Each structure stands twice: as structure tokens, then as C-alpha cells.
Amino acid sequence: MAHSVRRDAPELPDFSLLKRLARDQLIYLLEQLPGRKDLFIEADLMSPLDRIANVTTLKQHDVDKLYKVEHKPIVSTSDQTVRGCFLYPLTNWFLFPDVVNADKAFGRFRRYKIIFSPQKFYACENLLEEQGIFGDVTTDEWSFYLLPLDDDIISLELPEFFRDYFLEGDQRWVRTAGSALHLLHSVYGPFSKVYGIGRCSKMAYESWREQVEEGEQRARQAEIGNVFLIDRDVDLVTPLCSQVVYEGLVDDIFRIKCGCVEFCPDVTSSDKSIKVMLNSQDKVFNEIRNEHFSQVFGFLSQKARNLQTAYDKRSGMDIKQMKTFVSEELKGLKQEHRLLSLHIGASESMMKKKTKQDFQELLKTEHSLLEGFEIRECISYIEEHINRQVSMVESMRLLCLLSLTENGLLPKDYRSLKAQFLQSYGIEHLLTFSNLKQLGLLVEQQPGETLTVMESRVGKLVNDKTAGKLTDAFSSLAKKSNFRALGRRLNLVPKSDEEYDLRVPRDMAYIFSGAYIPLSCKLIEQVLERDGWTGLEEVTRMLNGHEFAVTAGSNGSDARVKTDSQRIILVMFLGGCTFSEISALRFLGREKGLKFIVVTTAITNSARLLESMLDNHA
Amino acid sequence: MIRGKPDEDDYWNSSKFKAFTFDDEDDDFTRLKESKRAVNSIRSLVEEEDEEDDVEKVSWSGEPVGRKAKTGSFQSFSESFGDPSIRNYAPELRKPKSEYKDYVSDWTPEETVKRMQQGKVYSLEKFRSLQDKLLLLDEAVNAHDGNVITAVLIYLKKSLSKEILFRELITREIALRHYIHYLKEIGEQKLLVELFKSMDRTEDMALMQYRDHLNVRDENKKRDFLKNCLSFPFSPDDATHVQDHYTLLERQIIIEANDKQVESSGQADIFKKYPRKASILNMPIITTLYYSCFYHYGESDGTFSSPANIRKTFRISDKQFLLTCLGARAKLKAWFDVDALFTTKNWLGYTKKRSPIGFHRIVDILQKNNAPVQVLQDYVNLVEDVEQKISLAQKYKCHDVIINTYRDLKDRQQLIVYRGKVERGSSEYRKIEEILSNSQLRWKN
């Protein structure tokens, strides 16, 4: 079951260096404020910080107390000279003045420093100035761009990227992405080739190039060869599919946060939940993470039998053998036993949850949507899902999948499904529908309008003063998903009548039970194979272009040397990627003797993606 | 890492720290930092001087970037007017070295944007003419840096009247979206509404205002707010939904007040038997319907709380109504009501069971609500597809259904097989025996 790694697969670079860099900079920032200080940490930053520095490190640098920022007056017993140091990601920065002003109202004058991570924005400083607290508050930034989550996963921990860029059209994170790339380039580069697709990818690429030109170049041995940048909106179908590989499923059900998951008592079969790190260090997990869920049970029970045999060896041992056994093997066995029972518990719990919600039927509907088969039945299924008030996010997910695969809903269906959705889940979701439409996730088909009609209408609008409508028309044109045509072109949906052996996957489709090859990963495979976009013209046209392939920095003589680094590919997802996609890329890597490193703005899944579209919190 | 962990607190409270005063340290440090910055900025000033000359040369050749690029006397007038520091100098005079300091902000839009990206000292004050401001904005957009785009927009917001700014943003989609997002983040609702209005984006405007109802806690105020929303220019479909929202909350307030009173007075059995778990305020329409089917079943159409009234007011589909009602009545084990839901009479007075959704789904829902076999089998019997009927009957152990179906199919073999599955001597066993020994029946096998 564990795939034999190709013998010549190259070694991955050591990314723990990135953690060290981040830690050193944090320490430097803390040292700039000598003496005792309290540290207030924004909730979103707690887990990433945990991966970088522990309490001991912080207290070594005179951090007195730690608090979670809660946007209410600070209750601190410490005297007024103690200063606060705030670690902020930028999600809630605009709430900060309330904290200080509340403090002032109490007649307290504490000195504050806000450290923004990964960067500060002019808008923040402006707000401090407008609120009259600029000066009481000083600012700095902690350029904590990259958090290695595993040997081959690096996250920017910017879950807000998706909404900010794709929904709001705010490019505040573009340079951040460029800087992250720049950091990787200067530590592990120089890269030899950069491929990409999507508007944001192109901008991030340009930002990176600029930063390369501004800085100095050091000649060094490259550890990463090629880079592939991809916008999340190039492929929105994949992250909306139910995940069925183990790691993805665990993420869908229990939500992995920063490489760590909290297993509920249900899993641990004890009275408390426990937090577990999920990465390649966990030997059991490492063997099942990329497997289709149906294969996991068999593997775990085999493993359990092996373990039993290993334990059983004890009988018939003499004292000396027993001693060696205890000192050499027992600890490993115990560790394995612990991990094994944990993952068996998790599998059972997931199985129970999925059986309860008729998972099979749900998957059947999803696969029909991907295949474009029995669409009316799918619509009735979705309708009933909505009528029975089953999970709101699930209903929304199915609606979006329907819209993306069918190039929008028929106006009649759109109106009826929207009305029923609002009845079942609350009318305030009008706002959600407006967001989904803006992003192109859930749209109405333009009745009877071919592309040319649309174009002539756009042409007419140019003369109109209502330019707002013009851009609307343009963006809806741009957002046509063309999923069916792409699927045919790239063979994304294998014929359903063929048997698919999940034990021996033949392609990346295994991550979706053989029903669909993720578009994102297929593009990467194709471009690497062709060393560029040649021959994919029709595909890129349907994906709305913005593709590029550039030979980067390194000079000709370097390029000729085929080093191991050439087979290490860094894939950067702008807007998030799923564990299923990572599994697919790992599979591709094994097939082609490559190693993929996934850099993502955040790990995402259907629930996270759709929850970021909700507007119904004040 | 969260406050209140005793062991950590212990450590913190006992931890020793070096005795010195912050302020001194800090000032030293600030001073150091400041002087470092000063040194750096001096260097850039010196460098800038050379660039300055270059740019000037370029400008004569007609390069269209920055202020130097523009030609004509008007430009030089406006600029010398705009910048008090150069007002006193005749343009042809070579600037004295000592005055370089005054030219700190003499950067082109491109240079300014670059400096902002790099976190260096910059100044926007010199961009005073509309044209300069827009050049700066366009340059920021070209640099793809949202942080800088927003910074420039903040400056434009402060230094341009909103009419002019709005007018210019219409043709600048990317800048516009940054501006909208910025206003959303800092909560400048009013300005946002004006912006949408000036751009004729009335639906966006309406939704933006509607969104504010989420901030209203008090239900009566919220109802009034929603009433006020009714006049907003929503799309026709959305207008209907918002009308529904208002009507719904209005009724929920009435129902809630009434039921709360009834419940506390202990007048109605249903509330005693099944105390309400939560208030019905702000619940979705379907939840309200369920509640109504649960607590107010059988009320006349005229009352706001009756299922029929809710169904009519909110145009609930037959299918949806049935599903919700079924769920509520099954929960109460009111099987008679469940039965009535499906019973229709034709003009001759015959009754027949009908359902807008397949009976197999009905069986499923009933089973999930723990309906007894006697109830379940009635509905299993109504499933049209014979195979589906049998498999459901087997799943839920409805022996009569299975036996009768095989008898009707004249399938002796299956009946014999099934006899082997039931308990010997049980009533269903005897029933099978009886049928098998019936000589009147003509078996097909």
C-alpha cells in the first residue's frame, strides 16, 4: 500500500530554516522593546505562532504575560508602565483603536506597539492617525511570510486571501505573495523556470521579479528548480468536491488547523479530546494520508495484526532477549500502537458520520454533476437537500458545483432554488447569493445569448455612460467556467463504465474515487510535460488566459546542468489549495520521478471557501 | 498560551527582570533608529539629485511620465504654485546645494509608488493637480500593490471632493474595487451608499443598506429597519425576498409574544409536554413553519401562527410544505395527522393516498422519526416500484408487505425462501404457510 518511492526521487530542501528566520525576526522585534512587556496575540495568529516559538522562547525575551486579543478593554493587573505589544494579522486591525480608546477612557495610559504580521498596511497607520492614537501606538512588522506545515507543504497562513482578492478585488496580498516567492528564491533558488496561469499569479510573478531586481543576487546552488503559479479561480470545481482521500477527509470532518487536528472524545474513546500533529513524522498517518478512504481500513487492520505479532514475540523470550526487546523495540511499538488506535478511532468516527448523512448518495450526485449526467435528478436531489434543511454549506456547495459545471443555472432553476434556499436557511443569505454571483461561483445563465450577442452588447455599452454595467458584463464573460469543454479537452472525467481499481490508482482521478482528475493538477502535469503552454492554446483561452512561461534568472550554463533540483517543482496556489490536490501532486511526483513542494496562501476546503463568502455576521 | 494557566502565571510572577527604566532605553533606541533613518534618507537624497537631472533631460525628449514629462507653461505655473518651497525660485536658477532638503518630495509618480512599496519616506502632498493625482493612482494600480493603491486612495479621499473622486473612479475598475473594500472595512457606510448611487449601481446600494439589519439587535427595531428597506431599489426578485423578511419578522414577534405568554401561564398542554427550546425570532421561514406545525397545528387559516397561513403567505411549495409538516407531526408521533397529509378524496368520495414526493422518501423520513412498523408498512405498500418496495420492506421488517407482494406476484419460490428467514411458528410464518397451502392460487413457479 505504501508506494515505493522512486529510488532517484530527489531530496527535499530543508524548510525548517524558514521557521528559524521567522523566530529570529520575532526575537529581534521583542528585543527592540527592552524590559517587561505583555504580549497580546490576535486569535488567528495563535496557531502559527505556536509553530514558531514556544512560551519559553517568549519569556526569555521578557514577555511577561500572554493574552489573546479580544477587542474589549484590557483587564490587566499590571501597573501602568507595562506596555502592550500586539501581534496582529491584518484581519481585525480596524478594531484596534477601540482597545486603546477604551483604555484611555479608564484613565490608563499604556504604551502600545503593534506588530503586524506579515506586513503593515498604510490603511492601518492612517486609521491610527485618524483616531488620534498615532504616537501612543507605534507599529512594526514581522515579515512572517511562510510557515512550513510539513516536508512538502508551506503555508502563507492567509485564509483571507481568497475573499480579499477574488471577491473584493483587493490586491493587498499580491506583493505579499511576491515577497514570499522572493524569500524562497533567495534561500532555495535561483529558479530556472517559472510557469503560471491567472491574473494574480502574473502580478505576483512580476512583483517577485521586481524585488529580485531591487535586491542583490548571490550565486548559489539551486535547491528548487521550477515554479508553477496558479490562481484558485482557474479551478473552483476541485476545492468544492467532497474529499475522499484520508487527509482531505480528516480536514473536511475535523478541520486541520495549522497542521494540527483536535480529535473529539468520540475518536479518542476517552472522555477528552486531544490535539494531534498530522505530518510525515506520524509514521502511520504518513502511510495513509494519500490513500482513498476505502483502502484505509484494510491497511489499518493489517498494521494492527503486524503489531500484534510483534508484541507476541515476547512469549518464549528469555530474560536477555526480553531486555533487548524492551529497550529497543517496545517504545517504538507503543508509539505505533498509540498512533494506530488514534487513526482507527478517527476512521470509525468518520465512517459513522458519513453513513448518517447518506454520503454515497451525495457522492453519486457530485459525480453526476461532474459527468454532466442526469442533471434534472441532481437538481431534485439538491432541492430536497435544501428543503430538509440539511447543512447550509453543503447545499451551497452543491449549488455552486451545479453552476460551475453547467455554466450557470437556467433562470427558472436559479430563481426557484434561490427562493427555497432563503426559505430554509434565512433570507439574509441574499447577501451570500450576491457574493457568489460576483465571484462567479453561482450564476444565472444568460438566456438565449450566445457569446457573440453578448459581445455586441458589450460593444454597445462602451458608448454608454453606465460603465459599471460594462464591467459587470465583462466579468460575467470572463467568469464563464467552460467546465464541460475543458473536461473533454483534458480528459478530466474518465468514462464511468470502466472499473477503477482504487488499490492501484492509474491516475490522479483516484483522489475522487476515479470520477474526476483535478483540473488544477492536470494543468500542472500538462505544462511540465510540454515545458510550457504550447498545444494548450484552446485550454488557456477557455481559462481566460493570463498564462506565462518564463526562463528565470539563472544563466544558460546552469540550465544545461541537469541537477536534482530540476526535478523539484514548487507549486504556488494563490487563494488556497486542498489536501486532495496535494495528494494528487504527490501521486504525480511518484509517477514522474519529481518532487512537488506546495506553497499555498492557506489550506482550504469547500467549507472554508464557502464560509468566506458569508456576509451574515455583523 | 492563553491567559490563566496557573503554571505559567507562576512563572511570570516570579520572573526577574532587569532593572532599568524603559523610557531611557527606549529613547536611546528611538534616537538610534532615527539617526539611522536620517542617514539613509540623506543617501537617497544625494542619489535623487542625479536622477533628478536625468529625468529632466528625459522630459525634454517628451517621455510621458511624471510631472517633468508635461509641457507648457501652465504646468510649471501650477507646480510652482503648488509647492511653496519652489515658489521663490525662478525655474532657470540652479538650486543651491543647501536647499536639497526642500526637494525631498520631488519624486515622479513612479518613484513615489516604488518608495511606498519599499517602505521608504515618501510624500503625497505635492500631487495637487487632478492630473497629477490620477497619474499617481494609475501608477499605483500599475504596480499591482493593493496596499499602495489604498494609500493613494486615502490621500485622494482627503484631497478631492467626493463628486470628483467618484467620477474618476468610474473608469478605474481596480482602484474602484479597492476604494469600495476600504470603505467597507472602515465602516463608512454612508459614503459607500453615495458612491453606489452616483454610479447607478442601485442594487448594490440596496443590498449594502439591507446588510445593516444584521447590526440591529432589538427585534422591534430590526422589524422597523426592514420595513424601511422595502423602499430600496432591489431587483424585483430580491424585493420580494426582503418583503418576506419583513413580514416574517413581524409575525414572529406576534407569535413569540403570544406563545411566551401561553407557555408561562401553563394553559396549553403542548407547551407543557414539549417546552420550547428557543425563541422563534429570526428563524428561517421553514423553521417557523415547522414550529407552527408543531405547536399550532389545526389552527384556522386566519391566525398568523397557523401552518396554512404561513404556507400561503410565503408561497411554500407543496413538496416543501409536506416535508416540513411530516417532520413535525412524525416527531410528535401524531400518525393520524401524518395519514391525513396524504389522503385525498375524489368526487365520488373515494379516498386515495397521494404524495408530491416518492413514498420511499416518506418511509425514510418516518423511519428516521422512529415510526413503528404498523405505520411504516402502510407507506412501504404505497411504493410503486416493486423491487424498491420489497427492499424497503426487508430493511424495515414489514413482513406483511413482503408476503402480500410475493403472493400478488404469484412467486411461490420467493415465498418459500422468505419462509426460511422468518421465525418458525411466528404469525408471519403461519401466514406464509396458509398462503402456500391455498389451492386456489395459481403460482407462476
Side-chain angles (χ1 to χ4, degrees):
Chain A
M1 172 132 191
H3 300 271
S4 58
V5 177
R6 253 177 80 141
R7 240 169 306 146
D8 60 347
E11 284 285 306
L12 285 168
D14 174 19
F15 292 119
S16 62
L17 185 63
L18 295 171
K19 284 192 195 181
R20 219 155 57 225
L21 282 173
R23 182 169 52 235
D24 288 351
Q25 207 207 350
L26 178 64
I27 290 169
Y28 173 77
L29 289 167
L30 292 174
E31 287 287 317
Q32 287 199 335
L33 296 163
R36 208 156 65 88
K37 60 220 155 226
D38 289 345
L39 189 58
F40 298 81
I41 303 157
E42 173 68 33
D44 292 349
L45 202 58
M46 302 278 271
S47 305
L49 180 64
D50 251 347
R51 300 284 102 80
I52 294 298
N54 52 27
V55 179
T56 324
T57 317
L58 295 177
K59 71 195 180 191
Q60 274 165 358
H61 299 279
D62 288 332
V63 171
D64 196 350
K65 288 201 172 77
L66 293 162
Y67 297 96
K68 192 161 135 185
V69 180
E70 286 176 293
H71 299 295
K72 54 186 187 195
I74 294 154
V75 194
S76 166
T77 48
S78 38
D79 60 68
Q80 296 186 3
T81 53
V82 168
R83 62 177 114 195
C85 177
F86 285 78
L87 271 175
Y88 257 82
L90 284 151
T91 28
N92 290 315
W93 56 271
F94 40 86
L95 294 169
F96 181 78
D98 299 343
V99 176
V100 176
N101 286 327
D103 224 25
K104 275 191 174 170
F106 273 98
R108 259 202 286 259
F109 290 93
R110 279 191 284 230
R111 304 186 58 185
Y112 296 107
K113 173 155 199 139
I114 312 181
I115 300 173
F116 290 107
S117 172
Q119 69 183 92
K120 64 179 167 188
F121 289 149
Y122 288 113
C124 314
E125 291 187 311
N126 184 64
L127 185 75
L128 297 177
E129 188 179 338
E130 277 180 0
Q131 297 291 319
I133 50 176
F134 196 91
D136 300 344
V137 177
T138 53
T139 59
D140 216 326
E141 54 188 21
W142 178 27
S143 318
F144 175 26
Y145 292 120
L146 295 165
L147 176 68
L149 293 178
D150 207 339
D151 299 343
D152 59 352
I153 311 173
I154 303 173
S155 167
L156 275 75
E157 291 298 308
L158 290 175
E160 58 270 52
F161 187 103
F162 184 75
R163 185 179 167 117
D164 282 348
Y165 180 77
F166 293 106
L167 180 65
E168 308 286 1
D170 193 320
Q171 300 173 0
R172 55 167 56 147
W173 302 116
V174 171
R175 191 172 165 92
T176 318
S179 304
L181 205 53
H182 182 49
L183 177 60
L184 288 165
H185 179 256
S186 41
V187 181
Y188 304 101
F191 308 145
S192 27
K193 253 196 139 163
V194 184
Y195 314 95
I197 184 160
R199 227 173 82 81
C200 189
S201 291
K202 197 153 194 189
M203 292 193 289
Y205 164 76
E206 281 165 16
S207 167
W208 163 61
R209 287 301 314 168
E210 256 167 50
Q211 294 179 57
V212 169
E213 279 151 29
E214 282 159 17
E216 60 218 77
Q217 275 297 77
R218 289 173 299 136
R220 58 184 306 285
Q221 185 68 44
E223 288 180 83
I224 295 174
N226 301 320
V227 177
F228 194 105
L229 299 166
I230 182 168
D231 283 20
R232 185 66 275 175
D233 74 345
V234 166
D235 174 12
L236 288 167
V237 171
T238 303
L240 289 179
C241 292
S242 292
Q243 304 197 72
V244 284
V245 285
Y246 187 74
E247 190 166 14
L249 194 55
V250 171
D251 190 37
D252 273 1
I253 294 181
F254 301 105
R255 298 213 177 199
I256 301 173
K257 201 175 156 195
C258 237
C260 184
V261 71
E262 188 164 351
F263 281 134
C264 49
D266 189 28
V267 173
T268 59
S269 48
S270 65
D271 52 355
K272 60 180 180 203
S273 30
I274 50 168
K275 281 192 174 171
V276 189
M277 293 289 292
L278 291 180
N279 54 37
S280 56
Q281 302 299 307
D282 177 338
K283 292 286 175 278
V284 175
F285 175 69
N286 199 35
E287 285 187 82
I288 53 174
R289 66 195 307 185
N290 302 313
E291 294 302 326
H292 189 273
F293 188 62
S294 63
Q295 305 303 304
V296 170
F297 265 126
F299 173 82
L300 290 176
S301 65
Q302 179 58 47
K303 200 91 181 151
R305 276 198 295 277
N306 294 350
L307 193 66
Q308 189 61 52
T309 323
Y311 271 122
D312 289 347
K313 277 200 308 195
R314 282 172 308 174
S315 56
M317 278 183 186
D318 60 29
I319 287 289
K320 200 178 162 202
Q321 284 169 321
M322 191 63 115
K323 224 171 151 182
T324 355
F325 175 81
V326 170
S327 65
E328 284 170 15
E329 282 178 64
L330 193 60
K331 199 177 162 216
L333 289 176
K334 272 190 173 160
Q335 167 79 353
E336 199 179 328
H337 181 236
R338 196 183 63 82
L339 292 173
L340 205 51
S341 58
L342 206 58
H343 290 294
I344 289 173
S347 301
E348 273 174 351
S349 162
M350 292 197 288
M351 198 72 167
K352 253 188 259 164
K353 286 203 173 76
K354 288 299 176 191
T355 322
K356 216 165 137 194
Q357 67 164 77
D358 297 324
F359 197 44
Q360 282 308 327
E361 213 174 331
L362 185 76
L363 285 180
K364 214 185 96 198
T365 305
E366 262 177 52
H367 294 171
S368 298
L369 287 174
L370 292 167
E371 243 186 289
F373 181 64
E374 297 186 329
I375 296 301
R376 288 316 317 170
E377 281 79 353
C378 292
I379 293 175
S380 333
Y381 178 84
I382 298 172
E383 199 170 50
E384 199 180 316
H385 204 271
I386 294 170
N387 288 162
R388 293 172 74 173
Q389 293 185 294
V390 197
S391 150
M392 189 265 291
V393 172
E394 283 280 288
S395 291
M396 205 195 297
R397 183 173 74 82
L398 292 168
L399 284 175
C400 291
L401 267 180
L402 173 68
S403 172
L404 287 169
T405 51
E406 288 286 293
N407 257 349
L409 276 63
L410 294 172
K412 178 176 67 79
D413 291 333
Y414 180 82
R415 261 197 296 278
S416 145
L417 289 166
K418 177 176 172 181
Q420 295 183 67
F421 189 99
L422 299 179
Q423 288 185 341
S424 274
Y425 303 111
I427 294 161
E428 66 276 13
H429 284 294
L430 270 180
L431 299 163
T432 315
F433 274 81
S434 155
N435 288 344
L436 293 173
K437 190 173 182 178
Q438 162 88 22
L439 210 145
L441 273 169
L442 179 52
V443 296
E444 211 175 326
Q445 277 173 15
Q446 302 296 326
E449 275 182 88
T450 59
L451 204 63
T452 43
V453 176
M454 196 68 173
E455 268 160 0
S456 76
R457 214 178 69 165
V458 170
K460 216 176 69 202
L461 277 171
V462 174
N463 307 322
D464 280 349
K465 222 180 65 185
T466 47
K469 280 187 188 141
L470 169 72
T471 48
D472 277 357
F474 268 134
S475 49
S476 67
L477 259 186
K479 276 164 192 160
K480 252 180 111 93
S481 75
N482 293 314
F483 181 77
R484 297 266 175 267
L486 282 166
R488 275 193 300 273
R489 268 266 130 207
L490 295 167
N491 281 323
L492 299 180
V493 183
K495 286 199 189 78
S496 60
D497 47 1
E498 286 170 38
E499 271 293 299
Y500 198 100
D501 187 357
L502 290 166
R503 271 173 310 170
V504 199
R506 58 167 182 261
D507 54 26
M508 294 188 278
Y510 92 93
I511 65 157
F512 293 122
S513 315
Y516 164 62
I517 300 175
L519 170 60
S520 52
C521 305
K522 186 73 181 183
L523 281 174
I524 295 166
E525 178 206 84
Q526 288 294 309
V527 170
L528 291 178
E529 217 160 72
R530 295 157 193 263
D531 189 20
W533 295 93
T534 330
L536 295 170
E537 290 78 8
E538 201 185 331
V539 171
T540 55
R541 194 180 53 76
M542 286 191 275
L543 290 172
N544 202 26
H546 296 292
E547 77 280 6
F548 56 95
V550 211
T551 307
S554 64
N555 53 42
S557 63
D558 274 359
R560 260 181 281 130
V561 187
K562 272 274 170 192
T563 53
D564 266 0
S565 68
Q566 293 302 307
R567 290 187 289 126
I568 297 195
I569 321 287
L570 190 147
V571 179
M572 187 175 199
F573 285 88
L574 295 157
C577 90
T578 62
F579 280 119
S580 294
E581 284 168 312
I582 298 176
S583 290
L585 288 177
R586 286 181 184 137
F587 175 85
L588 186 64
R590 282 191 301 270
E591 294 282 294
K592 311 265 176 193
L594 303 169
K595 279 270 184 180
F596 286 97
I597 297 155
V598 173
V599 179
T600 177
T601 50
I603 296 286
T604 194
N605 60 21
S606 56
R608 288 192 195 101
L609 202 134
L610 292 172
E611 280 162 11
S612 77
M613 292 295 108
L614 302 183
D615 241 354
N616 58 345
H617 49 84
Chain B
M1 308 211 27
I2 301 146
R3 113 178 72 147
K5 277 193 187 164
D7 45 349
E8 278 170 25
D9 283 348
D10 283 347
Y11 176 84
W12 297 130
N13 297 336
S14 66
S15 74
K16 294 192 181 85
F17 51 91
K18 293 175 211 123
F20 58 77
T21 61
F22 287 124
D23 297 339
D24 292 349
E25 263 320 280
D26 192 42
D27 284 348
D28 279 347
F29 190 76
T30 323
R31 231 174 284 142
L32 189 73
K33 225 182 161 184
E34 266 165 14
S35 45
K36 198 172 150 196
R37 194 177 299 147
V39 171
N40 286 341
S41 67
I42 288 166
R43 197 199 311 143
S44 64
L45 287 185
V46 175
E47 285 163 6
E48 229 65 61
E49 191 233 330
D50 295 333
E51 283 170 29
E52 193 82 13
D53 289 338
D54 285 341
V55 173
E56 217 144 1
K57 274 177 216 139
V58 171
S59 80
W60 289 113
S61 72
E63 188 73 33
V65 280
R67 62 174 266 265
K68 295 286 189 291
K70 282 169 281 152
T71 49
S73 57
F74 170 73
Q75 174 259 330
S76 62
F77 166 74
S78 73
E79 294 216 329
S80 55
F81 183 77
D83 191 341
S85 60
I86 30 173
R87 199 168 11 192
N88 302 327
Y89 302 97
E92 67 271 16
L93 283 182
R94 182 79 185 131
K95 304 153 197 164
K97 265 271 189 243
S98 61
E99 294 297 337
Y100 276 139
K101 201 165 179 289
D102 292 329
Y103 289 85
V104 164
S105 60
D106 238 5
W107 291 305
T108 63
E110 202 184 350
E111 287 161 341
T112 304
V113 165
K114 186 133 251 164
R115 297 187 73 85
M116 290 174 83
Q117 283 193 305
Q118 294 165 340
K120 289 184 184 165
V121 180
Y122 68 94
S123 162
L124 300 181
E125 271 75 44
K126 76 137 210 160
F127 296 92
R128 298 195 66 174
S129 76
L130 178 60
Q131 199 178 5
D132 282 352
K133 288 179 202 291
L134 295 175
L135 274 174
L136 180 67
L137 181 60
D138 293 341
E139 190 54 46
V141 169
N142 285 339
H144 316 313
D145 188 332
N147 182 22
V148 176
I149 298 173
T150 305
V152 171
L153 284 167
I154 291 171
Y155 171 65
L156 298 196
K157 178 171 178 273
K158 285 176 183 161
S159 64
L160 281 176
S161 84
K162 59 190 175 211
E163 288 78 13
I164 305 291
L165 179 56
F166 292 175
R167 187 191 71 201
E168 295 300 336
L169 285 176
I170 287 184
T171 51
R172 290 172 170 81
E173 168 77 357
I174 293 174
L176 174 64
R177 294 186 75 181
H178 281 80
Y179 192 58
I180 292 171
H181 190 216
Y182 173 69
L183 293 181
K184 271 192 200 167
E185 276 196 316
I186 60 168
E188 284 214 33
Q189 173 88 0
K190 273 202 189 114
L191 194 55
L192 209 43
V193 170
E194 281 180 63
L195 175 68
F196 284 139
K197 200 169 184 177
S198 80
M199 297 192 161
D200 223 10
R201 287 171 60 170
T202 48
E203 285 178 30
D204 287 323
M205 181 178 84
L207 281 172
M208 168 60 55
Q209 286 171 292
Y210 167 76
R211 187 183 185 281
D212 241 14
H213 84 268
L214 297 166
N215 297 317
V216 184
R217 285 261 158 269
D218 179 81
E219 65 264 19
N220 290 308
K221 282 189 189 139
K222 184 178 271 198
R223 180 198 53 206
D224 298 344
F225 186 96
L226 288 170
K227 190 174 185 184
N228 193 33
C229 286
L230 299 179
S231 60
F232 297 159
F234 291 102
S235 67
D237 280 348
D238 284 359
T240 319
H241 296 310
V242 174
Q243 172 72 54
D244 280 353
H245 198 169
Y246 165 68
T247 315
L248 178 68
L249 185 58
E250 192 187 31
R251 299 202 173 184
Q252 284 173 337
I253 290 171
I254 297 168
I255 298 171
E256 177 68 21
N258 177 64
D259 288 4
K260 212 171 173 177
Q261 194 261 324
V262 172
E263 186 175 29
S264 61
S265 68
Q267 288 164 4
D269 283 348
I270 181 87
F271 289 112
K272 266 188 266 176
K273 225 167 145 191
Y274 304 97
R276 302 187 317 148
K277 287 190 187 102
S279 120
I280 193 61
L281 295 173
N282 298 315
M283 292 297 166
I285 292 173
I286 299 309
T287 312
T288 312
L289 176 65
Y290 184 91
Y291 176 94
S292 148
C293 290
F294 199 91
Y295 290 110
H296 297 277
Y297 206 66
E299 279 180 17
S300 77
D301 296 9
T303 63
F304 279 161
S305 50
S306 72
N309 193 308
I310 291 174
R311 176 189 196 167
K312 198 168 144 240
T313 309
F314 300 106
R315 307 167 306 281
I316 291 166
S317 71
D318 292 351
K319 200 167 142 185
Q320 173 73 78
F321 182 79
L322 183 90
L323 277 169
T324 313
C325 205
L326 180 65
R329 298 324 287 171
K331 187 94 189 164
L332 288 166
K333 313 225 171 297
W335 308 122
F336 181 77
D337 292 341
V338 168
D339 200 55
L341 277 175
F342 300 100
T343 311
T344 51
K345 261 193 196 137
N346 72 5
W347 60 280
L348 288 172
Y350 294 120
T351 61
K352 192 178 175 335
K353 281 205 172 121
R354 280 167 189 275
S355 163
I357 36 177
F359 277 107
H360 64 287
R361 305 298 294 169
I362 307 289
V363 171
D364 197 43
I365 294 165
L366 288 173
Q367 195 274 333
K368 283 202 166 105
N369 281 295
N370 304 316
V373 176
Q374 297 87 305
V375 175
L376 271 185
Q377 66 182 13
D378 284 352
Y379 294 91
V380 173
N381 241 333
L382 290 165
V383 174
E384 277 186 27
D385 185 87
V386 176
E387 256 177 61
Q388 199 171 26
K389 186 198 284 190
I390 289 184
S391 89
L392 275 174
Q394 285 179 334
K395 196 166 160 194
Y396 302 128
K397 304 209 172 1
C398 306
H399 304 294
D400 278 356
V401 177
I402 298 169
I403 296 165
N404 294 340
T405 309
Y406 287 145
R407 185 197 58 201
D408 296 348
L409 289 172
K410 310 203 184 331
D411 194 336
R412 211 167 78 97
Q413 293 306 319
Q414 287 290 352
L415 209 51
I416 292 168
V417 171
Y418 196 69
R419 186 179 55 182
K421 287 183 188 163
V422 299
E423 205 180 320
R424 187 174 269 274
S426 62
S427 63
E428 47 271 15
Y429 186 87
R430 266 177 291 154
K431 186 172 174 179
I432 297 174
E433 291 279 78
E434 213 173 280
I435 294 170
L436 286 174
S437 58
N438 186 339
S439 54
Q440 301 284 313
L441 281 165
R442 292 189 186 180
W443 299 103
K444 71 169 181 185
N445 48 25

